[in-house]
Amino acid sequence: ARNLASKQNRLIGLILSGIKDTDSYGNIIFRLFMGAKAACEEHGYELAIISTNKARQAQKPLRDLCREQMIGAYIIYGLAMSDPYYTQVMESEIPAVAIDVDILALESNQPHNPFCSVVTIDNHAAVDEIIEILVNRGHRNIGFINGLVDAEISIIRERAFIKALEKRN
């Protein structure tokens, strides 16, 4: 009601996609939540947590979800390339921050969306650095445990892992 009366929307949504009880995301999600909560409190915003999955995304477009929840901006985490929201993020006119999504891959098919930013790391450099450390310590049988098969970040990290191993024979 306050948002409608003031014509300002002070609600930021933390949209978590495809999170299950059996996932090991707990610490990451907790830290993400705590950081978003602290930033919202510091700047006078409210934070709403919204859980979604592929089936729910197919039923309700991202734009409609934000409108119904009266979300003025959102942070989104856990998107897989096959999720309906994956491409909707780049089409949205609602300010957004996507975590661990390769916007450059999205932008190659679309013009840049000024409403969307990404938070990620240089996964290639990080994986290469890890492999370098392990090889320098004498390790030769190095395993790789990955995330979701259709999560873009998992594909990027696996390719970086293979490249790093090949680089060191």
Side-chain angles (χ1 to χ4, degrees):
R2 182 176 21 152
N3 289 341
L4 286 174
S6 69
K7 302 285 190 228
Q8 276 191 323
N9 193 325
R10 307 291 296 172
L11 182 63
I12 295 178
L14 175 56
I15 303 172
L16 305 171
S17 180
I19 308 303
K20 302 178 197 97
D21 292 346
T22 56
D23 288 340
S24 61
Y25 298 130
N27 190 40
I28 294 168
I29 290 174
F30 179 73
R31 292 175 68 197
L32 177 61
F33 165 71
M34 292 305 289
K37 176 182 160 294
C40 284
E41 287 174 353
E42 181 180 336
H43 297 284
Y45 287 86
E46 299 291 328
L47 182 66
I49 299 174
I50 300 166
S51 178
T52 188
N53 58 37
K54 197 174 302 211
R56 287 188 198 139
Q57 291 174 30
Q59 293 172 350
K60 185 176 296 185
L62 181 58
R63 171 189 69 249
D64 294 347
L65 173 73
C66 291
R67 191 176 307 136
E68 285 177 13
Q69 299 293 325
M70 297 183 62
I71 292 172
Y74 61 89
I75 303 162
I76 192 160
Y77 174 78
L79 283 179
M81 292 184 297
S82 59
D83 286 344
Y85 286 3
Y86 184 82
T87 54
Q88 291 175 30
V89 167
M90 281 309 297
E91 298 165 356
S92 177
E93 292 185 3
I94 299 167
V97 174
I99 298 174
D100 277 346
V101 173
D102 185 3
I103 287 299
L104 295 177
L106 289 174
E107 288 178 352
S108 63
N109 297 328
Q110 302 177 36
H112 174 70
N113 181 346
F115 297 102
C116 185
S117 296
V118 172
V119 175
T120 191
I121 63 168
D122 182 340
N123 285 283
H124 291 280
V127 170
D128 192 68
E129 184 178 338
I130 290 167
I131 298 301
E132 181 71 18
I133 290 168
L134 292 172
V135 168
N136 286 342
R137 290 184 180 172
H139 297 284
R140 295 294 177 260
N141 295 319
I142 302 169
F144 178 75
I145 299 173
N146 207 354
L148 298 172
V149 175
D150 63 344
E152 182 175 35
I153 201 68
S154 298
I155 294 167
I156 290 169
R157 290 174 181 160
E158 183 175 1
R159 287 180 185 157
F161 174 74
I162 293 167
K163 185 176 178 183
L165 291 181
E166 288 173 344
K167 178 177 167 183
R168 292 163 181 86
N169 294 318

